[in-house]
Amino acid sequence: TTTSAGPDSTPSVTNGGAKLSTFGGVFTPSVLTILGLVLFLRLGYVTGSVGLAEMLLILGLSTLVSVLTTFSLAALATNLRVGGGGVYFLISRTLGPAFGGAIGLVLYVAMSISIAFYAIGLGEAVASVMAVDDPFFPRLVAFGAIVFLLGVAWLGADIATKLQYVVMVCLVLAIVGYMVGVVGHLDPSLLSQNFWRPADGEGISMWVGFAIFFPAITGFTQGVVMSGDLKTPSRSISVGTFGAIAVSTVVYLFV
């Protein structure tokens, strides 16, 4: 680790052996996680169940949580020499190893569950496209996806970074395709009918909708995980995370 402004200066700290930029190391993985399963498979359900007004409120609350957390994250990242370990590194260096270890275990479990969450979502999507009714099929697809990702992770961050650009292109094409498909099908009367929750009482409560939607915005921490591979972690974590939240929020609003 080197710095150009003296041993105690943190804003210009760089990792000498690291290669990832802000875009590739923080922005891209964060956006890919936020604009994932919930956007394509759950957003329509939540919106239809609580109404557009409450869905916008849910989006606002979720974004507020992520922004406030990112402010704290940015404050820590710009005042520490950030090394490998991501969120665990920041917590253990500020609250001590005891709190860092305890919270680190929770983060480990949470990330493991999130991987299964997204893998099962992929399996459900593939089963829907292929019109397969076998309940075991989505699990089989999820298992294959996890084995594939394990191989990518084993090969290193360079391979994973290149692969995520391919996924980013697919994501952009999917969102553009959705926007193009919407043109000519917007109905103001339908919008007014669905602005509030269903009148027949068949919807869900706002907090249940919030619980279903909230996993979408937890992806903003994905860029921090790559802290040990970033060229300038103090700058990249702050700029990349805020940028990912901003872009993702705009996409959710449009959809």
Side-chain angles (χ1 to χ4, degrees), residues 76-130:
L76 294 175
T78 53
N79 285 279
L80 292 174
R81 291 175 180 264
V82 182
V87 177
Y88 165 75
F89 177 90
L90 296 176
I91 294 174
S92 62
R93 295 308 187 276
T94 53
L95 300 180
F99 280 103
I103 298 175
L105 289 175
V106 176
L107 290 173
Y108 175 82
V109 174
M111 183 163 292
S112 300
I113 294 175
S114 70
I115 293 172
F117 174 74
Y118 285 107
I120 288 294
L122 173 65
E124 290 181 0
V126 173
S128 176
V129 171
M130 298 180 64

Side-chain angles (χ1 to χ4, degrees), residues 11 33 40-41 58 67 71 74 78-79 91 108 111 114 130 137 165 168:
T33 308
F40 292 101
L41 297 183
I58 290 173
V67 168
F71 271 121
T78 53
N79 285 279
I91 294 174
Y108 175 82
M111 183 163 292
S114 70
M130 298 180 64
F137 183 76
Y165 291 139
M168 174 69 90

Side-chain angles (χ1 to χ4, degrees), residues 17 25 56 75 82 86 119 139 186 194 243:
L56 293 175
V82 182
R139 304 176 190 179
L186 296 177
N194 291 280

